[in-house]
Amino acid sequence: MSHDATGSRSVAEKASALGPTWLAGAIAAGPATMASLVVAGASFGYALLWVVIVSALFGALAQYLSAKLALATEEGLVATVERRLGSAWAWLLVADVVLAAGFAQLIIMKTLADVSGLLTGVDARLWGVGWAVVLAAGLAGGGYRIAELGAKLIVSAVVVAFVASLFVVPTDLVAASGGLVPTIPAGVEGALVAAGILGGAVHITIITMQTYTVQARGWTTEDAGLARFDIGVSMLAAFGIFSIATFLVAAGALFGNVDAQGLTAVAAGQALEPIAGEFAQRLFLAGLLGAAVSTLGGNTLVPPYVVADKLGWKTDVSDSRYRWLLATTALLSAGGAFIGGSFLQQLVLVLAVGTVGTPFVLAVVLVLLNDTETVADAPGPLLNIGGIAVFAVASVLAGSFVSGQLGGGLTLLSGGVLVFALVLGVATVVLIGSHLRTRLSGGTAAVSE
């Protein structure tokens, strides 16, 4: 690829080169995001439409910030953190990513296994073990591209179905316009769902993963225009349309017609009733299946990426240590099939928990982008203001989620979330404070160990 020809490429040439953010977008448009959008529409009607729109905008901005850092450093995020901030910060980032991605891995596998069971009548636990073996063999062998293509085709079909259903599902335009006014309905419950929606687009796993996929493509600062095009098509257009269409269909078809508290995937499938008839439930389940396959494959890559990067291994299957780490991560995900409860509500929780870990990684990216020893071309004022806005909103929603968890009493889950949030909160304050102190003193080190 000729880097210096990037700016003169035609739209068709740029489209054929789409890559890193398309993969991130496929992960973002996964079952957890679908669940959050469906639950939001079924629970509050159009009230959270503004969050859906903001999530696409903020998701694109977060991916651009991450890509800009990767283009400048030509390395993964953990390697950059270790080089500029130190080993302790790198290990903290690894722990943050592994915990958030690991929790998501289990629930997404539960979704995949449960949906497979619903579609076939075979025990979901058997499906979980089977999918884990297929996942391990496919990823460790480097054959994920074909599986990913098939999964994206299924997800794309469901996206088209939701967009098409906008023409037949009644949409109250007046009520929908009211959803453009920023409000959080129902207090803590609304904050949890809002955090879930935002967490689908602004999530620690896809922000971190972006640096490794950009590196794998071999892109440099000369490919900045291609990266912007990639992000615009993948996150702003594809993911944005998917999110808005899914939300509007759910709000129009489910709000007031189903019990949002006990919503199941089968009930949510009725959102497609106007265009799918008696096959609505199976079509919705097939969409969840495809989304789960593509998301699970991408999510499985993230923990091995950061661990291998920290240990100084190659982040591709040419390194046998990375290959075994990848296979082990895939096999361990089988445990998700043995988790009880309804996966639809658990998927919303996955994104909300990921929101707790996201402000820290956003702070890391912003600090490094504004460190002259890391990036020669620092972000302009508007880009920094946008990044700070994403960080602020993610922090507020993360705080609301933690407060909501504690409001229900201190349990093992809420206690774990509290500890996780406190550690990352303190680390974020120290990181930003150290960076500002260094800038004010005229130093060049991002953070001193």
Side-chain angles (χ1 to χ4, degrees):
M1 178 176 66
S2 176
H3 295 307
D4 57 6
T6 299
S8 60
R9 284 179 174 148
S10 67
V11 173
E13 290 173 328
K14 287 182 177 180
S16 66
L18 291 178
T21 316
W22 174 250
L23 181 57
I27 295 173
T33 301
M34 289 178 68
S36 293
L37 294 167
V38 168
V39 169
S43 302
F44 309 114
Y46 302 103
L48 291 176
L49 177 58
W50 70 275
V51 178
V52 178
I53 295 173
V54 166
S55 73
L57 295 172
F58 278 10
L61 180 55
Q63 291 306 110
Y64 179 64
L65 290 169
S66 182
K68 185 176 176 64
L69 179 62
L71 292 172
T73 62
E74 299 183 31
E75 60 188 3
L77 183 57
V78 172
T80 305
V81 169
E82 177 143 23
R83 178 168 56 83
R84 293 299 301 144
L85 307 182
S87 182
W89 289 100
W91 276 120
L92 181 59
L93 175 61
V94 169
D96 186 11
V97 172
V98 169
L99 286 172
F103 180 47
Q105 186 81 0
L106 292 174
I107 302 303
I108 295 171
M109 176 58 84
K110 172 181 170 55
T111 302
L112 181 58
D114 283 5
V115 170
S116 298
L118 287 170
L119 287 171
T120 64
V122 177
D123 193 308
R125 292 169 294 185
L126 293 178
W127 272 113
V129 174
W131 276 117
V133 172
V134 170
L135 187 65
L139 290 178
Y144 176 64
R145 289 183 181 273
I146 295 177
E148 180 188 71
L149 176 61
K152 286 180 180 178
L153 289 175
I154 297 174
V155 176
S156 297
V158 175
V159 172
V160 171
F162 271 107
V163 172
S165 68
L166 285 175
F167 295 97
V168 286
V169 171
T171 300
D172 187 334
L173 296 179
V174 175
S177 64
L180 297 175
V181 179
T183 58
I184 298 293
V188 169
E189 183 184 353
L192 171 61
V193 177
I197 294 173
L198 185 68
V202 185
H203 195 278
I204 180 174
T205 56
I206 59 176
I207 293 172
T208 304
M209 186 180 189
Q210 182 85 334
T211 64
Y212 293 95
T213 51
V214 166
Q215 179 192 18
R217 268 303 177 97
W219 287 359
T220 68
T221 51
E222 295 179 1
D223 295 299
L226 181 56
R228 285 192 293 269
F229 182 76
D230 185 43
I231 292 167
V233 172
S234 304
M235 287 299 293
L236 272 181
F239 177 75
I241 292 171
F242 158 79
S243 298
I244 293 172
T246 304
F247 174 80
L248 290 178
V249 168
L254 295 181
F255 182 57
N257 297 321
V258 298
D259 176 14
Q261 291 294 325
L263 189 61
T264 65
V266 172
Q270 298 303 318
L272 292 177
E273 186 76 28
I275 60 171
E278 62 181 289
F279 300 105
Q281 293 178 8
R282 297 188 71 81
L283 182 58
F284 183 78
L285 290 174
L288 276 174
L289 183 74
V293 169
S294 95
T295 302
L296 193 64
N299 192 78
T300 306
L301 297 173
V302 179
Y305 267 151
V306 296
V307 172
D309 200 14
K310 180 65 183 73
L311 296 176
W313 303 347
K314 291 182 179 179
T315 53
D316 59 62
V317 293
S318 65
D319 190 320
S320 61
R321 297 167 299 182
Y322 172 79
R323 186 189 304 117
W324 280 109
L325 183 60
L326 192 58
T328 301
T329 302
L331 292 174
L332 287 176
S333 65
F338 296 85
I339 297 175
S342 171
F343 64 80
L344 205 60
Q345 299 294 335
Q346 291 169 346
L347 285 169
V348 179
L349 184 62
V350 162
L351 294 184
V353 170
T355 302
V356 174
T358 299
F360 173 69
V361 75
L362 284 170
V364 167
V365 170
L366 285 170
V367 164
L368 291 173
L369 279 173
N370 285 278
D371 172 36
T372 56
E373 293 295 308
T374 304
V375 178
D377 182 20
L382 288 179
L383 188 55
N384 269 325
I385 290 172
I388 292 170
V390 175
F391 170 79
V393 171
S395 299
V396 169
L397 289 176
S400 298
F401 168 63
V402 173
S403 298
Q405 287 293 305
L406 295 178
L410 196 62
T411 63
L412 182 61
L413 176 61
S414 62
V417 170
L418 177 61
V419 172
F420 185 46
L422 285 175
V423 171
L424 292 178
V426 171
T428 301
V429 171
V430 171
L431 177 66
I432 295 174
S434 298
H435 173 70
L436 293 176
R437 186 171 61 251
T438 301
R439 289 289 296 271
L440 292 174
S441 65
T444 58
V447 172
S448 58
E449 289 191 84

